[in-house]
Amino acid sequence: MDSAQQNSNAAAGGGSSWGAFLKSIASFNGDLASLTAPPFILSGTSLTEFSSYWCEHPPVFAAPAKESDPAKRALLVLKWFLTTLKQQYASRSEQYGNEKKPLNPFLGELFLGKWEDEAGVTELISEQVSHHPPATAYNITNLPTGVRLEGYNAQKASFSKTINIKQIGHAVLTVPSSTSDQPDTFLITLPSLHIEGLIFGSPFIELDGASYITSSTGYTAKIDYSGKGWLSGKKNSFVASLYPTGKEKEVLYNVSGQWTKSFEIHSGAAKHNSKSTLVDSWDPEKQQHTPLTVAPIEKQHPLESRRAWSKVANAILKGDLEAVGQEKSRIEVAQREARAREKVEGRMWQRRYFSVYTDAPDRVLTQLGPAIGLAEHGDADKTGGLWRFDATKAEKERGQPQLSDEEASKIAKELLGQ
Ligand code: HC3
């Protein structure tokens, strides 16, 4: 049975529990992890993997480093951001026919990888830095140019007609400058989203509201998202404009299109768009993407996502729900026990790559946050802290020798119950 048939059977109540799932959503308490989704909606991929969606096209990610004009650099940053949206928000539904419920990462879970292409090596580090509330932090560096993205995110969900998700957290892109010792900094907010198609048993994501990118060089981009309305509009639509910070009416560039399909970049305000104002365009169908390379499972650290969840993921693939439940609960129980031990011993779980930023106020948020309505504290109370990449810790991790089989088994037993 293909996924479309599966979904329509499920929606009609054909042997699956989609109806029960819809009922449970109506009394939803906002805890996404607590949603008991029917089997066909379960995914064996953990949310720590989602950090890789920021860099499907490393050359586009690194491109701002080669541009010296600050407005054009800001435009290249906006273009890169827009090119990430398709993989971030539509890749699961395109691949499987519906949005899935990802695995809820455990504290300390890691997802490490790299991209290798004409942009050189670009490294990814993603770590689950908080479990209550759940928050994932990431750091992506293009080694040849030094372009670096770091950020952390959590989700706050609510129910009104459908599942609505507000993203908490932010990202900071650092672009080394050819004319100054000080790199340019771009503060990025994350769009809100909601789930469509729930009633038909084939959920997919639509983005809504607005998100922003503001730079230390004095430019801001606003991206407005909209979907298909009852009467007009196309799904996954957006319009974006780039302007000098604080002067929203003085539009330097405008971008419009569909984040799943194609978009065009024009100079000036949208009302003047013509062939002659066209600066650039993007069509994901015509672009190559660079696959992420991760170490083979047996070479991974026991806390790396694909290794840690491999038994759960295999059980999901086989549709063996009993095994899914058993394997998940092994991890959950071991994690609860680990937290209890830490409490008794008066210590805290040590994050491997990130630290809570305690020298508040944070420089980037203080300088750039007010222009786009981001608070100085970075919503730290909702993400277990204001998380920043810790280069010293990362250096130490890099220097660690590969774990022996015995050491790896000990960690897997103690922290994952495996
Ligand atoms: C809401 C979501 C979990 C969070 C996912 C986030 C916001 C994570 C950060 C990434 O950078 C972007 C991103 C993309 C997709 C978001 C997921 C979509 C669905 C999932 C819910 C927990 C599952 C809801 C269950 C249902 C009904 C879709 O199966």
Side-chain angles (χ1 to χ4, degrees), residues 125 127 129 137-139 141 148-151 350-359 386-398:
I125 295 170
E127 178 172 7
V129 286
Y138 47 87
N139 186 77
T141 313
R148 189 169 76 83
L149 178 78
E150 68 171 307
Q350 292 304 311
R351 280 73 176 168
R352 285 186 152 73
Y353 294 93
F354 298 85
S355 293
V356 167
Y357 190 81
T358 44
D359 305 344
L386 195 162
W387 298 97
R388 291 288 183 246
F389 181 63
D390 191 326
T392 315
K393 280 185 176 177
E395 214 35 67
K396 199 173 144 215
E397 277 305 316
R398 272 193 199 105

PDB file of all heavy atoms in Angstrom, residues 125 127 129 137-139 141 148-151 350-359 386-398:
ATOM      1  N   ILE A 125      27.515  20.507  13.889  1.00  0.00           N
ATOM      2  CA  ILE A 125      27.435  19.965  15.251  1.00  0.00           C
ATOM      3  C   ILE A 125      26.047  20.311  15.773  1.00  0.00           C
ATOM      4  O   ILE A 125      25.646  21.474  15.768  1.00  0.00           O
ATOM      5  CB  ILE A 125      28.494  20.620  16.171  1.00  0.00           C
ATOM      6  CG1 ILE A 125      29.897  20.250  15.693  1.00  0.00           C
ATOM      7  CG2 ILE A 125      28.277  20.209  17.625  1.00  0.00           C
ATOM      8  CD1 ILE A 125      30.998  21.013  16.376  1.00  0.00           C
ATOM      9  N   GLU A 127      23.377  19.401  19.073  1.00  0.00           N
ATOM     10  CA  GLU A 127      23.336  18.759  20.397  1.00  0.00           C
ATOM     11  C   GLU A 127      22.034  19.114  21.108  1.00  0.00           C
ATOM     12  O   GLU A 127      21.596  20.264  21.067  1.00  0.00           O
ATOM     13  CB  GLU A 127      24.533  19.256  21.236  1.00  0.00           C
ATOM     14  CG  GLU A 127      24.555  18.673  22.640  1.00  0.00           C
ATOM     15  CD  GLU A 127      25.850  19.001  23.415  1.00  0.00           C
ATOM     16  OE1 GLU A 127      26.672  19.800  22.912  1.00  0.00           O
ATOM     17  OE2 GLU A 127      26.007  18.463  24.527  1.00  0.00           O
ATOM     18  N   VAL A 129      20.545  20.232  24.076  1.00  0.00           N
ATOM     19  CA  VAL A 129      21.139  20.890  25.244  1.00  0.00           C
ATOM     20  C   VAL A 129      20.191  20.961  26.425  1.00  0.00           C
ATOM     21  O   VAL A 129      20.596  21.254  27.548  1.00  0.00           O
ATOM     22  CB  VAL A 129      21.645  22.307  24.877  1.00  0.00           C
ATOM     23  CG1 VAL A 129      22.912  22.220  24.045  1.00  0.00           C
ATOM     24  CG2 VAL A 129      20.562  23.098  24.155  1.00  0.00           C
ATOM     25  N   ALA A 137      20.610  22.764  20.081  1.00  0.00           N
ATOM     26  CA  ALA A 137      21.535  23.824  19.660  1.00  0.00           C
ATOM     27  C   ALA A 137      22.396  23.299  18.505  1.00  0.00           C
ATOM     28  O   ALA A 137      22.600  22.085  18.394  1.00  0.00           O
ATOM     29  CB  ALA A 137      22.418  24.243  20.822  1.00  0.00           C
ATOM     30  N   TYR A 138      22.850  24.202  17.654  1.00  0.00           N
ATOM     31  CA  TYR A 138      23.641  23.756  16.505  1.00  0.00           C
ATOM     32  C   TYR A 138      24.717  24.779  16.162  1.00  0.00           C
ATOM     33  O   TYR A 138      24.607  25.970  16.505  1.00  0.00           O
ATOM     34  CB  TYR A 138      22.743  23.522  15.267  1.00  0.00           C
ATOM     35  CG  TYR A 138      21.778  24.652  15.018  1.00  0.00           C
ATOM     36  CD1 TYR A 138      22.145  25.764  14.266  1.00  0.00           C
ATOM     37  CD2 TYR A 138      20.508  24.614  15.579  1.00  0.00           C
ATOM     38  CE1 TYR A 138      21.257  26.809  14.067  1.00  0.00           C
ATOM     39  CE2 TYR A 138      19.613  25.662  15.389  1.00  0.00           C
ATOM     40  CZ  TYR A 138      20.000  26.751  14.639  1.00  0.00           C
ATOM     41  OH  TYR A 138      19.120  27.795  14.462  1.00  0.00           O
ATOM     42  N   ASN A 139      25.747  24.292  15.488  1.00  0.00           N
ATOM     43  CA  ASN A 139      26.813  25.157  14.992  1.00  0.00           C
ATOM     44  C   ASN A 139      27.242  24.593  13.645  1.00  0.00           C
ATOM     45  O   ASN A 139      27.557  23.410  13.532  1.00  0.00           O
ATOM     46  CB  ASN A 139      27.993  25.148  15.971  1.00  0.00           C
ATOM     47  CG  ASN A 139      29.056  26.140  15.557  1.00  0.00           C
ATOM     48  OD1 ASN A 139      28.903  27.336  15.764  1.00  0.00           O
ATOM     49  ND2 ASN A 139      30.129  25.656  14.946  1.00  0.00           N
ATOM     50  N   THR A 141      29.864  25.402  10.429  1.00  0.00           N
ATOM     51  CA  THR A 141      30.962  26.264   9.976  1.00  0.00           C
ATOM     52  C   THR A 141      31.475  25.829   8.610  1.00  0.00           C
ATOM     53  O   THR A 141      31.807  24.655   8.419  1.00  0.00           O
ATOM     54  CB  THR A 141      32.168  26.194  10.961  1.00  0.00           C
ATOM     55  OG1 THR A 141      31.671  26.329  12.282  1.00  0.00           O
ATOM     56  CG2 THR A 141      33.173  27.290  10.682  1.00  0.00           C
ATOM     57  N   ARG A 148      29.790  31.113   9.675  1.00  0.00           N
ATOM     58  CA  ARG A 148      29.367  30.221  10.764  1.00  0.00           C
ATOM     59  C   ARG A 148      27.954  30.571  11.224  1.00  0.00           C
ATOM     60  O   ARG A 148      27.629  31.746  11.410  1.00  0.00           O
ATOM     61  CB  ARG A 148      30.352  30.393  11.925  1.00  0.00           C
ATOM     62  CG  ARG A 148      30.164  29.389  13.040  1.00  0.00           C
ATOM     63  CD  ARG A 148      31.338  29.454  13.995  1.00  0.00           C
ATOM     64  NE  ARG A 148      31.249  30.618  14.860  1.00  0.00           N
ATOM     65  CZ  ARG A 148      30.534  30.680  15.955  1.00  0.00           C
ATOM     66  NH1 ARG A 148      29.819  29.639  16.336  1.00  0.00           N
ATOM     67  NH2 ARG A 148      30.500  31.780  16.680  1.00  0.00           N
ATOM     68  N   LEU A 149      27.156  29.532  11.371  1.00  0.00           N
ATOM     69  CA  LEU A 149      25.793  29.725  11.885  1.00  0.00           C
ATOM     70  C   LEU A 149      25.699  29.005  13.209  1.00  0.00           C
ATOM     71  O   LEU A 149      26.066  27.832  13.325  1.00  0.00           O
ATOM     72  CB  LEU A 149      24.777  29.090  10.920  1.00  0.00           C
ATOM     73  CG  LEU A 149      23.318  29.187  11.379  1.00  0.00           C
ATOM     74  CD1 LEU A 149      22.764  30.586  11.130  1.00  0.00           C
ATOM     75  CD2 LEU A 149      22.439  28.153  10.675  1.00  0.00           C
ATOM     76  N   GLU A 150      25.219  29.712  14.223  1.00  0.00           N
ATOM     77  CA  GLU A 150      24.931  29.006  15.471  1.00  0.00           C
ATOM     78  C   GLU A 150      23.543  29.411  15.938  1.00  0.00           C
ATOM     79  O   GLU A 150      23.072  30.517  15.633  1.00  0.00           O
ATOM     80  CB  GLU A 150      25.972  29.298  16.545  1.00  0.00           C
ATOM     81  CG  GLU A 150      25.987  30.704  17.067  1.00  0.00           C
ATOM     82  CD  GLU A 150      26.913  30.831  18.282  1.00  0.00           C
ATOM     83  OE1 GLU A 150      26.748  30.059  19.239  1.00  0.00           O
ATOM     84  OE2 GLU A 150      27.780  31.715  18.253  1.00  0.00           O
ATOM     85  N   GLY A 151      22.908  28.524  16.656  1.00  0.00           N
ATOM     86  CA  GLY A 151      21.575  28.857  17.124  1.00  0.00           C
ATOM     87  C   GLY A 151      21.015  27.772  18.009  1.00  0.00           C
ATOM     88  O   GLY A 151      21.659  26.751  18.245  1.00  0.00           O
ATOM     89  N   GLN A 350      26.954  17.472  31.626  1.00  0.00           N
ATOM     90  CA  GLN A 350      27.849  18.391  30.915  1.00  0.00           C
ATOM     91  C   GLN A 350      27.580  18.360  29.410  1.00  0.00           C
ATOM     92  O   GLN A 350      27.744  17.314  28.783  1.00  0.00           O
ATOM     93  CB  GLN A 350      29.319  17.998  31.158  1.00  0.00           C
ATOM     94  CG  GLN A 350      29.780  18.204  32.599  1.00  0.00           C
ATOM     95  CD  GLN A 350      29.568  19.630  33.078  1.00  0.00           C
ATOM     96  OE1 GLN A 350      29.939  20.593  32.396  1.00  0.00           O
ATOM     97  NE2 GLN A 350      28.945  19.789  34.234  1.00  0.00           N
ATOM     98  N   ARG A 351      27.167  19.504  28.872  1.00  0.00           N
ATOM     99  CA  ARG A 351      26.963  19.584  27.418  1.00  0.00           C
ATOM    100  C   ARG A 351      28.340  19.529  26.754  1.00  0.00           C
ATOM    101  O   ARG A 351      29.294  20.124  27.266  1.00  0.00           O
ATOM    102  CB  ARG A 351      26.259  20.886  27.028  1.00  0.00           C
ATOM    103  CG  ARG A 351      24.752  20.849  27.249  1.00  0.00           C
ATOM    104  CD  ARG A 351      24.409  20.915  28.698  1.00  0.00           C
ATOM    105  NE  ARG A 351      22.972  20.983  28.943  1.00  0.00           N
ATOM    106  CZ  ARG A 351      22.433  20.822  30.126  1.00  0.00           C
ATOM    107  NH1 ARG A 351      23.173  20.545  31.189  1.00  0.00           N
ATOM    108  NH2 ARG A 351      21.130  20.920  30.287  1.00  0.00           N
ATOM    109  N   ARG A 352      28.410  18.866  25.603  1.00  0.00           N
ATOM    110  CA  ARG A 352      29.731  18.660  24.994  1.00  0.00           C
ATOM    111  C   ARG A 352      30.221  19.825  24.141  1.00  0.00           C
ATOM    112  O   ARG A 352      31.418  20.057  24.042  1.00  0.00           O
ATOM    113  CB  ARG A 352      29.703  17.399  24.119  1.00  0.00           C
ATOM    114  CG  ARG A 352      29.728  16.139  24.933  1.00  0.00           C
ATOM    115  CD  ARG A 352      29.853  14.929  24.025  1.00  0.00           C
ATOM    116  NE  ARG A 352      30.503  13.830  24.701  1.00  0.00           N
ATOM    117  CZ  ARG A 352      29.924  13.091  25.646  1.00  0.00           C
ATOM    118  NH1 ARG A 352      28.691  13.355  26.033  1.00  0.00           N
ATOM    119  NH2 ARG A 352      30.576  12.095  26.218  1.00  0.00           N
ATOM    120  N   TYR A 353      29.291  20.552  23.505  1.00  0.00           N
ATOM    121  CA  TYR A 353      29.716  21.582  22.553  1.00  0.00           C
ATOM    122  C   TYR A 353      29.170  22.981  22.849  1.00  0.00           C
ATOM    123  O   TYR A 353      29.577  23.939  22.209  1.00  0.00           O
ATOM    124  CB  TYR A 353      29.278  21.191  21.136  1.00  0.00           C
ATOM    125  CG  TYR A 353      29.961  19.953  20.616  1.00  0.00           C
ATOM    126  CD1 TYR A 353      29.383  18.694  20.763  1.00  0.00           C
ATOM    127  CD2 TYR A 353      31.203  20.035  19.989  1.00  0.00           C
ATOM    128  CE1 TYR A 353      30.004  17.551  20.298  1.00  0.00           C
ATOM    129  CE2 TYR A 353      31.842  18.902  19.514  1.00  0.00           C
ATOM    130  CZ  TYR A 353      31.234  17.662  19.672  1.00  0.00           C
ATOM    131  OH  TYR A 353      31.870  16.542  19.204  1.00  0.00           O
ATOM    132  N   PHE A 354      28.208  23.083  23.732  1.00  0.00           N
ATOM    133  CA  PHE A 354      27.552  24.375  23.961  1.00  0.00           C
ATOM    134  C   PHE A 354      27.550  24.695  25.454  1.00  0.00           C
ATOM    135  O   PHE A 354      27.608  23.795  26.285  1.00  0.00           O
ATOM    136  CB  PHE A 354      26.099  24.335  23.438  1.00  0.00           C
ATOM    137  CG  PHE A 354      26.032  24.102  21.956  1.00  0.00           C
ATOM    138  CD1 PHE A 354      26.076  22.805  21.436  1.00  0.00           C
ATOM    139  CD2 PHE A 354      25.983  25.168  21.070  1.00  0.00           C
ATOM    140  CE1 PHE A 354      26.057  22.566  20.064  1.00  0.00           C
ATOM    141  CE2 PHE A 354      25.967  24.947  19.690  1.00  0.00           C
ATOM    142  CZ  PHE A 354      25.992  23.648  19.189  1.00  0.00           C
ATOM    143  N   SER A 355      27.489  25.982  25.768  1.00  0.00           N
ATOM    144  CA  SER A 355      27.391  26.406  27.166  1.00  0.00           C
ATOM    145  C   SER A 355      26.308  27.461  27.264  1.00  0.00           C
ATOM    146  O   SER A 355      26.039  28.181  26.296  1.00  0.00           O
ATOM    147  CB  SER A 355      28.703  27.029  27.637  1.00  0.00           C
ATOM    148  OG  SER A 355      29.704  26.033  27.669  1.00  0.00           O
ATOM    149  N   VAL A 356      25.739  27.558  28.461  1.00  0.00           N
ATOM    150  CA  VAL A 356      24.765  28.627  28.687  1.00  0.00           C
ATOM    151  C   VAL A 356      25.551  29.927  28.793  1.00  0.00           C
ATOM    152  O   VAL A 356      26.573  29.981  29.466  1.00  0.00           O
ATOM    153  CB  VAL A 356      23.968  28.375  29.988  1.00  0.00           C
ATOM    154  CG1 VAL A 356      23.205  29.623  30.386  1.00  0.00           C
ATOM    155  CG2 VAL A 356      23.020  27.216  29.812  1.00  0.00           C
ATOM    156  N   TYR A 357      25.084  30.920  28.087  1.00  0.00           N
ATOM    157  CA  TYR A 357      25.761  32.216  28.115  1.00  0.00           C
ATOM    158  C   TYR A 357      25.344  32.946  29.378  1.00  0.00           C
ATOM    159  O   TYR A 357      24.182  33.321  29.530  1.00  0.00           O
ATOM    160  CB  TYR A 357      25.382  33.007  26.859  1.00  0.00           C
ATOM    161  CG  TYR A 357      26.207  34.241  26.670  1.00  0.00           C
ATOM    162  CD1 TYR A 357      27.480  34.168  26.108  1.00  0.00           C
ATOM    163  CD2 TYR A 357      25.735  35.474  27.076  1.00  0.00           C
ATOM    164  CE1 TYR A 357      28.249  35.298  25.945  1.00  0.00           C
ATOM    165  CE2 TYR A 357      26.506  36.616  26.914  1.00  0.00           C
ATOM    166  CZ  TYR A 357      27.756  36.517  26.354  1.00  0.00           C
ATOM    167  OH  TYR A 357      28.516  37.630  26.199  1.00  0.00           O
ATOM    168  N   THR A 358      26.304  33.111  30.283  1.00  0.00           N
ATOM    169  CA  THR A 358      25.919  33.692  31.577  1.00  0.00           C
ATOM    170  C   THR A 358      26.387  35.132  31.743  1.00  0.00           C
ATOM    171  O   THR A 358      25.925  35.825  32.641  1.00  0.00           O
ATOM    172  CB  THR A 358      26.499  32.843  32.739  1.00  0.00           C
ATOM    173  OG1 THR A 358      27.847  32.521  32.412  1.00  0.00           O
ATOM    174  CG2 THR A 358      25.695  31.579  32.956  1.00  0.00           C
ATOM    175  N   ASP A 359      27.328  35.576  30.856  1.00  0.00           N
ATOM    176  CA  ASP A 359      27.805  36.959  30.996  1.00  0.00           C
ATOM    177  C   ASP A 359      26.770  37.921  30.420  1.00  0.00           C
ATOM    178  O   ASP A 359      27.104  38.814  29.649  1.00  0.00           O
ATOM    179  CB  ASP A 359      29.119  37.174  30.215  1.00  0.00           C
ATOM    180  CG  ASP A 359      30.178  36.185  30.614  1.00  0.00           C
ATOM    181  OD1 ASP A 359      30.001  35.565  31.670  1.00  0.00           O
ATOM    182  OD2 ASP A 359      31.167  36.028  29.871  1.00  0.00           O
ATOM    183  N   LEU A 386      20.363  30.494  27.515  1.00  0.00           N
ATOM    184  CA  LEU A 386      20.727  31.139  26.248  1.00  0.00           C
ATOM    185  C   LEU A 386      22.002  30.412  25.797  1.00  0.00           C
ATOM    186  O   LEU A 386      23.072  30.577  26.382  1.00  0.00           O
ATOM    187  CB  LEU A 386      20.991  32.619  26.519  1.00  0.00           C
ATOM    188  CG  LEU A 386      21.059  33.585  25.351  1.00  0.00           C
ATOM    189  CD1 LEU A 386      20.887  35.006  25.851  1.00  0.00           C
ATOM    190  CD2 LEU A 386      22.309  33.475  24.540  1.00  0.00           C
ATOM    191  N   TRP A 387      21.865  29.583  24.795  1.00  0.00           N
ATOM    192  CA  TRP A 387      22.942  28.664  24.416  1.00  0.00           C
ATOM    193  C   TRP A 387      23.860  29.253  23.363  1.00  0.00           C
ATOM    194  O   TRP A 387      23.387  29.798  22.378  1.00  0.00           O
ATOM    195  CB  TRP A 387      22.350  27.350  23.902  1.00  0.00           C
ATOM    196  CG  TRP A 387      21.559  26.659  24.954  1.00  0.00           C
ATOM    197  CD1 TRP A 387      20.200  26.688  25.136  1.00  0.00           C
ATOM    198  CD2 TRP A 387      22.084  25.872  26.031  1.00  0.00           C
ATOM    199  NE1 TRP A 387      19.850  25.958  26.249  1.00  0.00           N
ATOM    200  CE2 TRP A 387      20.982  25.446  26.821  1.00  0.00           C
ATOM    201  CE3 TRP A 387      23.370  25.476  26.423  1.00  0.00           C
ATOM    202  CZ2 TRP A 387      21.138  24.654  27.956  1.00  0.00           C
ATOM    203  CZ3 TRP A 387      23.519  24.688  27.547  1.00  0.00           C
ATOM    204  CH2 TRP A 387      22.409  24.287  28.297  1.00  0.00           C
ATOM    205  N   ARG A 388      25.166  29.143  23.605  1.00  0.00           N
ATOM    206  CA  ARG A 388      26.139  29.579  22.609  1.00  0.00           C
ATOM    207  C   ARG A 388      27.174  28.473  22.407  1.00  0.00           C
ATOM    208  O   ARG A 388      27.501  27.742  23.344  1.00  0.00           O
ATOM    209  CB  ARG A 388      26.849  30.865  23.068  1.00  0.00           C
ATOM    210  CG  ARG A 388      25.930  32.091  23.075  1.00  0.00           C
ATOM    211  CD  ARG A 388      25.606  32.558  21.658  1.00  0.00           C
ATOM    212  NE  ARG A 388      24.783  33.754  21.624  1.00  0.00           N
ATOM    213  CZ  ARG A 388      23.527  33.808  21.165  1.00  0.00           C
ATOM    214  NH1 ARG A 388      22.927  32.720  20.713  1.00  0.00           N
ATOM    215  NH2 ARG A 388      22.871  34.939  21.134  1.00  0.00           N
ATOM    216  N   PHE A 389      27.671  28.377  21.183  1.00  0.00           N
ATOM    217  CA  PHE A 389      28.697  27.387  20.851  1.00  0.00           C
ATOM    218  C   PHE A 389      29.938  27.666  21.704  1.00  0.00           C
ATOM    219  O   PHE A 389      30.342  28.814  21.851  1.00  0.00           O
ATOM    220  CB  PHE A 389      29.030  27.504  19.359  1.00  0.00           C
ATOM    221  CG  PHE A 389      30.047  26.512  18.899  1.00  0.00           C
ATOM    222  CD1 PHE A 389      29.781  25.155  18.962  1.00  0.00           C
ATOM    223  CD2 PHE A 389      31.272  26.934  18.393  1.00  0.00           C
ATOM    224  CE1 PHE A 389      30.727  24.226  18.530  1.00  0.00           C
ATOM    225  CE2 PHE A 389      32.211  26.020  17.953  1.00  0.00           C
ATOM    226  CZ  PHE A 389      31.934  24.664  18.025  1.00  0.00           C
ATOM    227  N   ASP A 390      30.529  26.618  22.259  1.00  0.00           N
ATOM    228  CA  ASP A 390      31.697  26.767  23.122  1.00  0.00           C
ATOM    229  C   ASP A 390      32.903  26.155  22.398  1.00  0.00           C
ATOM    230  O   ASP A 390      33.102  24.934  22.408  1.00  0.00           O
ATOM    231  CB  ASP A 390      31.416  26.049  24.458  1.00  0.00           C
ATOM    232  CG  ASP A 390      32.449  26.366  25.512  1.00  0.00           C
ATOM    233  OD1 ASP A 390      33.624  26.544  25.152  1.00  0.00           O
ATOM    234  OD2 ASP A 390      32.074  26.423  26.700  1.00  0.00           O
ATOM    235  N   ALA A 391      33.706  27.037  21.767  1.00  0.00           N
ATOM    236  CA  ALA A 391      34.815  26.561  20.931  1.00  0.00           C
ATOM    237  C   ALA A 391      35.838  25.783  21.752  1.00  0.00           C
ATOM    238  O   ALA A 391      36.469  24.845  21.241  1.00  0.00           O
ATOM    239  CB  ALA A 391      35.475  27.752  20.242  1.00  0.00           C
ATOM    240  N   THR A 392      35.992  26.145  23.036  1.00  0.00           N
ATOM    241  CA  THR A 392      36.975  25.439  23.878  1.00  0.00           C
ATOM    242  C   THR A 392      36.535  24.005  24.102  1.00  0.00           C
ATOM    243  O   THR A 392      37.323  23.056  23.986  1.00  0.00           O
ATOM    244  CB  THR A 392      37.117  26.170  25.242  1.00  0.00           C
ATOM    245  OG1 THR A 392      37.217  27.557  24.988  1.00  0.00           O
ATOM    246  CG2 THR A 392      38.302  25.663  26.019  1.00  0.00           C
ATOM    247  N   LYS A 393      35.236  23.843  24.418  1.00  0.00           N
ATOM    248  CA  LYS A 393      34.715  22.481  24.601  1.00  0.00           C
ATOM    249  C   LYS A 393      34.858  21.682  23.313  1.00  0.00           C
ATOM    250  O   LYS A 393      35.250  20.515  23.327  1.00  0.00           O
ATOM    251  CB  LYS A 393      33.219  22.536  24.960  1.00  0.00           C
ATOM    252  CG  LYS A 393      32.908  22.863  26.403  1.00  0.00           C
ATOM    253  CD  LYS A 393      31.400  22.737  26.591  1.00  0.00           C
ATOM    254  CE  LYS A 393      30.983  22.948  28.014  1.00  0.00           C
ATOM    255  NZ  LYS A 393      29.517  22.905  28.168  1.00  0.00           N
ATOM    256  N   ALA A 394      34.548  22.329  22.192  1.00  0.00           N
ATOM    257  CA  ALA A 394      34.587  21.623  20.898  1.00  0.00           C
ATOM    258  C   ALA A 394      36.006  21.154  20.595  1.00  0.00           C
ATOM    259  O   ALA A 394      36.212  20.040  20.104  1.00  0.00           O
ATOM    260  CB  ALA A 394      34.069  22.534  19.790  1.00  0.00           C
ATOM    261  N   GLU A 395      36.977  22.019  20.906  1.00  0.00           N
ATOM    262  CA  GLU A 395      38.388  21.668  20.691  1.00  0.00           C
ATOM    263  C   GLU A 395      38.739  20.436  21.521  1.00  0.00           C
ATOM    264  O   GLU A 395      39.390  19.499  21.042  1.00  0.00           O
ATOM    265  CB  GLU A 395      39.243  22.880  21.119  1.00  0.00           C
ATOM    266  CG  GLU A 395      40.500  23.109  20.312  1.00  0.00           C
ATOM    267  CD  GLU A 395      40.369  22.750  18.846  1.00  0.00           C
ATOM    268  OE1 GLU A 395      39.613  23.398  18.082  1.00  0.00           O
ATOM    269  OE2 GLU A 395      41.015  21.762  18.464  1.00  0.00           O
ATOM    270  N   LYS A 396      38.246  20.430  22.783  1.00  0.00           N
ATOM    271  CA  LYS A 396      38.533  19.308  23.681  1.00  0.00           C
ATOM    272  C   LYS A 396      37.918  18.017  23.113  1.00  0.00           C
ATOM    273  O   LYS A 396      38.552  16.965  23.075  1.00  0.00           O
ATOM    274  CB  LYS A 396      37.915  19.623  25.048  1.00  0.00           C
ATOM    275  CG  LYS A 396      38.499  18.795  26.155  1.00  0.00           C
ATOM    276  CD  LYS A 396      37.975  19.258  27.502  1.00  0.00           C
ATOM    277  CE  LYS A 396      37.801  18.023  28.376  1.00  0.00           C
ATOM    278  NZ  LYS A 396      36.684  18.094  29.266  1.00  0.00           N
ATOM    279  N   GLU A 397      36.684  18.142  22.612  1.00  0.00           N
ATOM    280  CA  GLU A 397      36.000  16.959  22.032  1.00  0.00           C
ATOM    281  C   GLU A 397      36.790  16.399  20.855  1.00  0.00           C
ATOM    282  O   GLU A 397      36.933  15.202  20.699  1.00  0.00           O
ATOM    283  CB  GLU A 397      34.592  17.326  21.564  1.00  0.00           C
ATOM    284  CG  GLU A 397      33.536  17.328  22.650  1.00  0.00           C
ATOM    285  CD  GLU A 397      33.451  16.022  23.425  1.00  0.00           C
ATOM    286  OE1 GLU A 397      33.481  14.940  22.811  1.00  0.00           O
ATOM    287  OE2 GLU A 397      33.371  16.090  24.664  1.00  0.00           O
ATOM    288  N   ARG A 398      37.294  17.346  20.025  1.00  0.00           N
ATOM    289  CA  ARG A 398      38.048  16.928  18.832  1.00  0.00           C
ATOM    290  C   ARG A 398      39.309  16.155  19.221  1.00  0.00           C
ATOM    291  O   ARG A 398      39.729  15.249  18.516  1.00  0.00           O
ATOM    292  CB  ARG A 398      38.447  18.147  18.009  1.00  0.00           C
ATOM    293  CG  ARG A 398      37.370  18.491  17.046  1.00  0.00           C
ATOM    294  CD  ARG A 398      37.802  19.475  15.982  1.00  0.00           C
ATOM    295  NE  ARG A 398      36.571  20.017  15.449  1.00  0.00           N
ATOM    296  CZ  ARG A 398      36.095  21.221  15.704  1.00  0.00           C
ATOM    297  NH1 ARG A 398      36.770  22.051  16.458  1.00  0.00           N
ATOM    298  NH2 ARG A 398      34.946  21.618  15.204  1.00  0.00           N
TER     299      ARG A 398
END
